[in-house]
Amino acid sequence: MGGVAKALLDIRGMTFLARIATTAREVGLVDAVVVVGPPFGDAVAAHARELGLRTVVNPAPERGMASSIALGFAAIAESSATTAWLWPVDHPDVTARTLRTLVDARGDHEVARPRFRGRGGHPPLVSREVWPRLVGCANAEGGARTVLAAADVAEVEVDDAGVVEDYDEVRS
């Protein structure tokens, strides 16, 4: 991404992280954990604090995304939240309407995962029952994908290309 933290990239006048936080707050976000690590961890953590978000440091992000997911879900488990979005920062265009749809569709399912035109996307809404499995996902074959695939998932078709627009793919 050109030597810049994705979380700090600008999209229509806001950073990716600010856009995600703003959208989530539109539907009642009460707590958020941003996992940061080298080389941009200090800058992203400072921005997250400005936005009123908690941070946790992944000292070894080279272990893969599962290590960050595990740390994030361990930290959010300390809150009173009953569900959480697993939201990669490179998906800043998801709409509040999509988040509301996921909340409404989860019902008794452990996970509500958005889909756009049949393609799975982000952020899945994950119930607290799954969090311990995600905390252990860094040691699981296939990481968080395997954990989520084994859960009771409601696949939710949405009219929101933001759930599949990954800025890693767009800019590379």
Side-chain angles (χ1 to χ4, degrees), residues 19-109:
R19 180 164 296 282
I20 289 169
T22 298
T23 302
R25 285 181 173 134
E26 285 182 46
V27 296
L29 175 75
V30 295
D31 189 17
V33 173
V34 178
V35 181
V36 300
F40 306 109
D42 291 342
V44 174
H47 183 52
R49 284 190 298 274
E50 290 170 2
L51 296 169
L53 308 173
R54 290 194 292 142
T55 61
V56 64
V57 175
N58 183 349
E62 66 277 1
R63 295 181 321 157
M65 188 182 301
S67 66
S68 291
I69 291 169
L71 289 167
F73 275 92
I76 201 72
E78 298 169 6
S79 76
S80 62
T82 58
T83 57
W85 289 288
L86 193 170
W87 200 331
V89 75
D90 50 12
H91 287 76
D93 288 332
V94 176
T95 67
R97 186 172 110 196
T98 292
L99 299 181
R100 284 186 200 95
T101 299
L102 293 173
V103 169
D104 292 344
R106 192 182 66 80
D108 291 333
H109 298 282

Side-chain angles (χ1 to χ4, degrees), residues 140-151:
E141 181 71 32
R145 272 185 217 272
T146 300
V147 169
L148 294 177

Side-chain angles (χ1 to χ4, degrees), residues 132-145:
R133 290 176 262 165
L134 287 171
V135 169
C137 78
N139 301 317
E141 181 71 32
R145 272 185 217 272

